[in-house]
mmCIF file of all heavy atoms in Angstrom:
data_model
loop_
_atom_site.group_PDB
_atom_site.id
_atom_site.type_symbol
_atom_site.label_atom_id
_atom_site.label_comp_id
_atom_site.label_asym_id
_atom_site.label_seq_id
_atom_site.Cartn_x
_atom_site.Cartn_y
_atom_site.Cartn_z
ATOM 1 N N SER A 61 134.246 152.210 -43.067
ATOM 2 C CA SER A 61 135.193 151.762 -44.096
ATOM 3 C C SER A 61 135.022 150.274 -44.390
ATOM 4 O O SER A 61 135.361 149.816 -45.490
ATOM 5 C CB SER A 61 136.645 152.066 -43.676
ATOM 6 O OG SER A 61 137.003 151.318 -42.520
ATOM 7 N N THR A 155 138.468 166.392 -43.569
ATOM 8 C CA THR A 155 137.862 167.690 -43.325
ATOM 9 C C THR A 155 137.605 168.352 -44.665
ATOM 10 O O THR A 155 138.512 168.488 -45.481
ATOM 11 C CB THR A 155 138.766 168.582 -42.474
ATOM 12 O OG1 THR A 155 138.743 168.130 -41.118
ATOM 13 C CG2 THR A 155 138.294 170.038 -42.486
ATOM 14 N N ALA A 186 131.454 177.483 -45.637
ATOM 15 C CA ALA A 186 131.761 178.910 -45.612
ATOM 16 C C ALA A 186 130.807 179.621 -44.664
ATOM 17 O O ALA A 186 129.616 179.276 -44.600
ATOM 18 C CB ALA A 186 131.641 179.494 -47.015
ATOM 19 N N VAL A 209 129.528 159.510 -39.284
ATOM 20 C CA VAL A 209 130.086 159.418 -40.641
ATOM 21 C C VAL A 209 130.110 160.801 -41.309
ATOM 22 O O VAL A 209 131.055 161.128 -42.035
ATOM 23 C CB VAL A 209 129.291 158.403 -41.487
ATOM 24 C CG1 VAL A 209 129.714 158.439 -42.954
ATOM 25 C CG2 VAL A 209 129.482 157.001 -40.923
ATOM 26 N N ARG A 216 132.009 181.815 -37.849
ATOM 27 C CA ARG A 216 132.774 182.901 -38.461
ATOM 28 C C ARG A 216 134.164 183.010 -37.887
ATOM 29 O O ARG A 216 135.069 183.590 -38.497
ATOM 30 C CB ARG A 216 132.043 184.229 -38.247
ATOM 31 C CG ARG A 216 130.693 184.326 -38.932
ATOM 32 C CD ARG A 216 129.947 185.570 -38.498
ATOM 33 N NE ARG A 216 129.661 185.559 -37.059
ATOM 34 C CZ ARG A 216 129.053 186.541 -36.402
ATOM 35 N NH1 ARG A 216 128.671 187.621 -37.046
ATOM 36 N NH2 ARG A 216 128.839 186.449 -35.104
ATOM 37 N N SER A 252 151.951 167.867 -40.269
ATOM 38 C CA SER A 252 151.528 166.548 -39.791
ATOM 39 C C SER A 252 151.289 165.556 -40.937
ATOM 40 O O SER A 252 150.706 164.497 -40.732
ATOM 41 C CB SER A 252 150.239 166.674 -38.965
ATOM 42 O OG SER A 252 149.238 167.384 -39.687
ATOM 43 N N GLY A 282 131.001 186.162 -71.673
ATOM 44 C CA GLY A 282 129.939 186.878 -70.968
ATOM 45 C C GLY A 282 129.402 186.166 -69.748
ATOM 46 O O GLY A 282 128.772 186.804 -68.894
ATOM 47 N N ARG A 303 144.798 191.077 -82.555
ATOM 48 C CA ARG A 303 144.531 192.442 -83.053
ATOM 49 C C ARG A 303 143.398 192.513 -84.063
ATOM 50 O O ARG A 303 142.596 193.435 -84.047
ATOM 51 C CB ARG A 303 145.800 193.017 -83.695
ATOM 52 C CG ARG A 303 146.960 193.229 -82.732
ATOM 53 C CD ARG A 303 146.822 194.485 -81.932
ATOM 54 N NE ARG A 303 147.992 194.670 -81.053
ATOM 55 C CZ ARG A 303 148.076 195.651 -80.151
ATOM 56 N NH1 ARG A 303 147.088 196.508 -80.016
ATOM 57 N NH2 ARG A 303 149.159 195.733 -79.383
ATOM 58 N N GLU A 339 131.212 193.734 -47.917
ATOM 59 C CA GLU A 339 132.669 193.775 -47.917
ATOM 60 C C GLU A 339 133.229 193.338 -49.263
ATOM 61 O O GLU A 339 134.177 193.937 -49.772
ATOM 62 C CB GLU A 339 133.222 192.884 -46.810
ATOM 63 C CG GLU A 339 132.917 193.354 -45.401
ATOM 64 C CD GLU A 339 131.507 193.041 -44.933
ATOM 65 O OE1 GLU A 339 130.805 192.273 -45.649
ATOM 66 O OE2 GLU A 339 131.097 193.543 -43.890
ATOM 67 N N ALA A 342 132.698 196.021 -51.940
ATOM 68 C CA ALA A 342 133.705 197.071 -51.832
ATOM 69 C C ALA A 342 135.030 196.618 -52.425
ATOM 70 O O ALA A 342 135.726 197.421 -53.078
ATOM 71 C CB ALA A 342 133.868 197.473 -50.367
ATOM 72 N N VAL A 360 132.096 199.684 -69.808
ATOM 73 C CA VAL A 360 130.779 199.401 -69.260
ATOM 74 C C VAL A 360 130.938 199.185 -67.752
ATOM 75 O O VAL A 360 131.957 198.627 -67.313
ATOM 76 C CB VAL A 360 130.165 198.130 -69.878
ATOM 77 C CG1 VAL A 360 128.801 197.823 -69.251
ATOM 78 C CG2 VAL A 360 130.016 198.274 -71.364
ATOM 79 N N VAL A 373 126.882 194.701 -58.047
ATOM 80 C CA VAL A 373 128.001 195.264 -58.809
ATOM 81 C C VAL A 373 127.593 195.178 -60.283
ATOM 82 O O VAL A 373 127.196 194.106 -60.762
ATOM 83 C CB VAL A 373 129.307 194.499 -58.577
ATOM 84 C CG1 VAL A 373 130.412 195.030 -59.479
ATOM 85 C CG2 VAL A 373 129.717 194.561 -57.105
ATOM 86 N N PHE A 393 137.145 188.130 -58.552
ATOM 87 C CA PHE A 393 135.994 187.340 -58.096
ATOM 88 C C PHE A 393 134.716 188.155 -58.121
ATOM 89 O O PHE A 393 133.982 188.243 -57.146
ATOM 90 C CB PHE A 393 136.255 186.800 -56.678
ATOM 91 C CG PHE A 393 135.784 185.375 -56.487
ATOM 92 C CD1 PHE A 393 136.282 184.365 -57.265
ATOM 93 C CD2 PHE A 393 134.835 185.058 -55.522
ATOM 94 C CE1 PHE A 393 135.855 183.045 -57.110
ATOM 95 C CE2 PHE A 393 134.405 183.761 -55.334
ATOM 96 C CZ PHE A 393 134.916 182.741 -56.123
ATOM 97 N N PHE A 402 146.887 191.136 -78.432
ATOM 98 C CA PHE A 402 148.154 190.508 -78.772
ATOM 99 C C PHE A 402 148.217 190.377 -80.299
ATOM 100 O O PHE A 402 147.212 190.484 -80.992
ATOM 101 C CB PHE A 402 148.319 189.155 -78.083
ATOM 102 C CG PHE A 402 147.461 188.047 -78.637
ATOM 103 C CD1 PHE A 402 147.898 187.203 -79.644
ATOM 104 C CD2 PHE A 402 146.174 187.828 -78.116
ATOM 105 C CE1 PHE A 402 147.117 186.193 -80.143
ATOM 106 C CE2 PHE A 402 145.363 186.796 -78.598
ATOM 107 C CZ PHE A 402 145.835 185.982 -79.622
ATOM 108 N N ASP A 416 150.223 183.840 -62.141
ATOM 109 C CA ASP A 416 150.452 182.975 -61.000
ATOM 110 C C ASP A 416 149.468 181.806 -60.977
ATOM 111 O O ASP A 416 149.679 180.827 -60.299
ATOM 112 C CB ASP A 416 150.300 183.762 -59.694
ATOM 113 C CG ASP A 416 151.419 184.747 -59.463
ATOM 114 O OD1 ASP A 416 152.512 184.555 -60.035
ATOM 115 O OD2 ASP A 416 151.225 185.725 -58.722
ATOM 116 N N VAL A 443 141.478 173.226 -70.175
ATOM 117 C CA VAL A 443 141.356 174.190 -71.253
ATOM 118 C C VAL A 443 140.034 173.916 -71.976
ATOM 119 O O VAL A 443 139.773 172.779 -72.385
ATOM 120 C CB VAL A 443 142.533 174.093 -72.270
ATOM 121 C CG1 VAL A 443 142.358 175.137 -73.372
ATOM 122 C CG2 VAL A 443 143.863 174.275 -71.555
#
Side-chain angles (χ1 to χ4, degrees):
S61 65
T155 286
V209 171
R216 295 171 299 178
S252 53
R303 295 280 182 186
E339 294 78 10
V360 178
V373 176
F393 221 59
F402 72 91
D416 290 337
V443 181

